Amino acid sequence: MSSMILDTAEKIFTRNANVLSPGTFDVVHWTEVEASGFTLALLAEEAGGFGLSAGDATSILRVSAKHASRLPLAETMLANWLLADSGLPIANGVTTIALVDALPSENCRSVVATRVPWARASGAVVVVALDGRIGSFDSPRIVAHGMNFAGEARDDIELVWSEEISKAKAPRRFETYLALCALLRVIGLAGSAEAALKLSVEYANDRVQFGRPIGRNQVIQHQLAIMASHVAASTAAADMAATAFPLVLTDEDRFKTIVASAKIRAGEAAGICASIAHQVHGAIGITEEYRLHNLTKQLWSWRDEYGNEAFWSEVLADQMLSMKTPSPWQFLSREAVHVD
Amino acid sequence: MDSNLGSDFSNAKRAHSWLGFDAAFSRSLGKRGWVGMTLPKKYGGHERTAMERYVVMEELLAAGAPVFAHWVADRQSAPLLLHYGTEEQRLEILPRIAAGECCFCIGMSEPNSGSDLAAAQTRATRKDEGYCVNGTKLWTTNAHKAHYMTLLARTDKSDERHGGMSQFLVDMRTPGIEVRPIIDLAGEHEFNEVRFDDVLLPPTALLGNEGDGWKQVMGELAFERSGPERFLSSFALLNELVRVLSDAPDRQARQAIGRLLGHLMVLRHMSQSVAGMLQRGENPTLQATIVKDLGTIIEQEIPEIARTLVKVEGSLESADTFAATFARTLLAAPSFSLRGGTREILRGIIARGLGLR
Ligand SMILES: Cc1cc2nc3c(=O)[nH]c(=O)nc-3n(C[C@H](O)[C@H](O)[C@H](O)COP(=O)(O)OP(=O)(O)OC[C@H]3O[C@@H](n4cnc5c(N)ncnc54)[C@H](O)[C@@H]3O)c2cc1C
């Protein structure tokens, strides 16, 4: 991973300190993030990006999650990639993504999309439909405001048909788009879990009860060791999924398998990590003032967005069972990303 | 496997996983160049990379091949000899390991020294003719079949808990060694008690430097813990489960199997990166410990999940392969988080890595 990008990301996301009410984000901070080019990080150089690897590009999201920077970055990043991938013009500013059954048409002029990330702040929505079409809609009408635990906007919007909407045949299968969105959440889960572990270990070394740091007790050590294993699995899942990103263009099936595995693993780790982190922290951890909840709320929200563990487990099992002779090993070894 | 073991080598047999012992099979793997793969050519090796070796290990484990006759020697004794052995020891033994002909056992644990390995009491006293060993090793897997043991013994009084220990390369035919079988809960004879009664070892039996035993053993354990056998022990049962369920899997079954696949996929990725670290000469102790801890959890979950999805009354003798494979795996499961360092000891290592100890 390029350390320059990480350094820049660390600097920018550490500066984010403004506590704002849920459902909003720090516009000044966002301007800085945009100015740094992060929203274009997934794009290839020809498409206006900087030629970063997917691993580098997504590492920005990991840092952002670690700092619980509540920003529409993941969505904007991916929305720009989706537009470029479909040959549609790149939008400016905050852009989001909605997955729907069908785009609005002359026959069915209005379509409602639910829980669209940061729709209220978005200039454009990239809409991917199950019927194989993709379109870009400007300034969607908000039907209802909503939020996830982490205070990120998740709004219901109405998409209305008009002649001018730019649309195209979606170059990928619908589930591939779902997997792309899930990949972003896997990265975020890994960053959140990592930060929650760091905070918990520091706390266990600082907090003194019965005359010694609580972390000197073997029970606490073992709880944190369990958490560390799940954080390691979560991080491995994120690395595996990010490395698999280029497969989107060449082998959508394999890409789906890898992201499904990653989301299952990171999703399961999320609940365990949140629970141990809170237990180790005691009462201070559930206060609004202490920052642990910003991380655990991300864990609790993102594990359920774009398919929970049960959903992706079924996808994975179906893929394996659809082999001519279902073989777990052939399935695993065929589908894995090779690391060296 | 088909040509050596026949195509009817059932999942119930494969469920022995890497504890399946078949000297002829190990020799034929040696002939193919699949043992001692990373060793230098002058020691009979094939100078393959750690990743190449990893791929072969994985395939063997996933297939449930009976690899135990050479497994320990290939996994940890060969690297130990390569690092610390004398040229004479290496030339004598490494080629036999690479040929798949040499079986090793590990003489670490004792009656009063399990997790607390530094409490070992077996003593090797220096004499003019060499070393005189007295003491008892316990749980020594394959001692009754092994050609050699790598023995951890005290050579000195030391104020330091970890000091004064040394490792020896013990020819199991040496007079005075008595191997007594210990039968396990599955009725198998895998481990033993090994008694040393005034056993005289030649000076050339010393492995590495006198007093470095602790350091060497810790290095050996890193190899012992880092391989893919730490998450694939129950794979035969997963295969059986899929075979039995694949006709009409309900939702619960698909969710459970998909979840296992997802976990195994990530574990495999983690295990591969440990192999990558070994290849680059980095120290993967912490990462390997994490993979082993997570791996044994999944290995132990598989029989529990299997019995919720398929109605079964396990029996080793059953003619029904599912029931027999289930039984074999279930009865082996408790050992997964004991052998090679208990779960609690591993978590202590992880906690130390976190800076809590
Ligand atoms: C199948 C099998 C094969 C084996 N093969 C070999 C072999 O070939 N060679 C060899 O040398 N050994 C072998 N062993 C022995 C193995 O290494 C030991 O079983 C292991 O190190 C634990 O030692 P113990 O059984 O004496 O348990 P103990 O150390 O007595 O532990 C009992 C329990 O107490 C826990 N415990 C101990 N100390 C602590 C602590 N400080 N904090 C918290 N919990 C603690 C342990 O985790 C465990 O749960 C084998 C074991 C098995 C099961």
Side-chain angles (χ1 to χ4, degrees), chain A residues 270-326:
Chain A
I272 297 167
C273 291
S275 140
I276 295 177
H278 276 296
Q279 192 63 26
V280 166
H281 271 90
I284 189 83
I286 63 161
T287 59
E288 188 183 35
E289 194 184 337
Y290 190 80
R291 65 195 183 89
L292 178 63
H293 70 95
N294 296 318
L295 298 165
T296 50
K297 282 174 179 166
Q298 288 180 166
L299 291 170
W300 289 323
S301 299
W302 294 345
R303 64 178 176 170
D304 286 333
E305 293 180 357
Y306 303 117
N308 63 9
E309 297 95 275
F311 172 85
W312 286 112
S313 293
E314 280 189 64
V315 170
L316 217 48
D318 288 345
Q319 267 191 325
M320 194 264 291
L321 292 167
S322 70
M323 294 167 76
K324 220 151 135 218
T325 320

Side-chain angles (χ1 to χ4, degrees), chain B residues 220-269:
Chain B
E220 194 181 339
L221 283 172
F223 283 105
E224 180 169 348
R225 287 175 186 156
S226 61
E229 68 266 46
R230 301 308 182 183
F231 68 96
L232 291 172
S233 304
S234 303
F235 214 79
L237 181 56
L238 180 61
N239 283 330
E240 267 302 291
L241 192 59
V242 169
R243 183 184 67 78
V244 170
L245 289 172
S246 58
D247 282 344
D250 62 13
R251 191 151 180 219
Q252 187 199 3
R254 280 153 58 232
Q255 286 183 354
I257 288 173
R259 172 180 169 272
L260 285 174
L261 291 172
H263 279 247
L264 287 167
M265 180 85 89
V266 175
L267 268 169
R268 181 163 184 258
H269 185 83

Side-chain angles (χ1 to χ4, degrees), chain A:
Chain A
M1 205 172 292
S2 153
S3 62
M4 213 184 74
I5 296 163
L6 279 185
D7 287 350
T8 314
E10 276 293 346
K11 254 187 231 128
I12 289 180
F13 292 116
T14 313
R15 270 204 291 274
N16 170 39
N18 290 336
V19 184
L20 297 163
S21 49
T24 64
F25 59 86
D26 182 340
V27 182
V28 180
H29 189 225
W30 174 251
T31 316
E32 194 183 10
V33 167
E34 269 197 318
S36 65
F38 288 169
T39 54
L40 305 175
L42 270 178
L43 298 184
E45 239 166 332
E46 315 83 84
F50 318 102
L52 299 182
S53 71
D56 279 347
T58 54
S59 72
I60 298 168
L61 292 176
R62 210 185 285 187
V63 178
S64 141
K66 269 177 19 187
H67 293 282
S69 332
R70 194 201 299 150
L71 291 173
L73 179 57
E75 293 74 19
T76 306
M77 234 184 192
L78 181 60
N80 284 334
W81 185 89
L82 293 177
L83 290 170
D85 182 55
S86 322
L88 297 172
I90 305 282
N92 280 320
V94 177
T95 311
T96 189
I97 301 159
L99 305 175
V100 297
D101 287 342
L103 294 188
S105 61
E106 261 190 289
N107 299 334
C108 177
R109 288 172 167 262
S110 153
V111 167
V112 171
T114 57
R115 294 194 71 80
V116 179
W118 294 112
R120 68 185 75 166
S122 300
V125 194
V126 180
V127 184
V128 184
L130 193 54
D131 66 7
R133 304 188 61 76
I134 185 164
S136 178
F137 291 72
D138 289 339
S139 314
R141 193 177 79 78
I142 309 292
V143 179
H145 279 180
M147 256 186 312
N148 66 10
F149 295 124
E152 297 176 305
R154 298 291 184 257
D155 303 322
D156 296 350
I157 56 173
E158 186 190 21
L159 304 161
V160 185
W161 181 82
S162 92
E163 296 270 358
E164 292 94 73
I165 289 158
S166 49
K167 51 182 178 294
K169 191 175 163 303
R172 320 275 154 223
R173 292 203 297 265
F174 185 75
E175 269 195 357
T176 304
Y177 293 103
L178 188 62
L180 278 164
C181 294
L183 189 156
L184 301 180
R185 293 300 179 254
V186 170
I187 308 289
L189 286 169
S192 313
E194 197 187 321
L197 175 66
K198 186 159 175 281
L199 205 56
S200 304
V201 170
E202 282 166 8
Y203 188 76
N205 275 330
D206 286 348
R207 170 73 175 167
V208 173
Q209 285 294 277
F210 300 99
R212 58 180 191 165
I214 54 167
R216 290 286 162 279
N217 296 292
Q218 198 185 49
V219 236
I220 302 276
Q221 291 175 355
H222 283 202
Q223 286 303 305
L224 289 172
I226 293 170
M227 182 176 173
S229 305
H230 285 281
V231 171
S234 199
T235 307
D239 288 340
M240 184 175 86
T243 316
F245 188 84
L247 289 175
V248 137
L249 305 176
T250 54
D251 190 343
E252 291 180 51
D253 263 339
R254 254 180 84 180
F255 176 73
K256 189 168 78 174
T257 304
I258 290 166
V259 174
S261 301
K263 188 74 172 30
I264 291 165
R265 191 61 190 87
E268 190 169 314
I272 297 167
C273 291
S275 140
I276 295 177
H278 276 296
Q279 192 63 26
V280 166
H281 271 90
I284 189 83
I286 63 161
T287 59
E288 188 183 35
E289 194 184 337
Y290 190 80
R291 65 195 183 89
L292 178 63
H293 70 95
N294 296 318
L295 298 165
T296 50
K297 282 174 179 166
Q298 288 180 166
L299 291 170
W300 289 323
S301 299
W302 294 345
R303 64 178 176 170
D304 286 333
E305 293 180 357
Y306 303 117
N308 63 9
E309 297 95 275
F311 172 85
W312 286 112
S313 293
E314 280 189 64
V315 170
L316 217 48
D318 288 345
Q319 267 191 325
M320 194 264 291
L321 292 167
S322 70
M323 294 167 76
K324 220 151 135 218
T325 320
S327 151
W329 182 251
Q330 270 172 28
F331 181 72
L332 290 174
S333 54
R334 189 192 62 202
E335 308 287 351
V337 192
H338 202 74
V339 286
D340 31 37

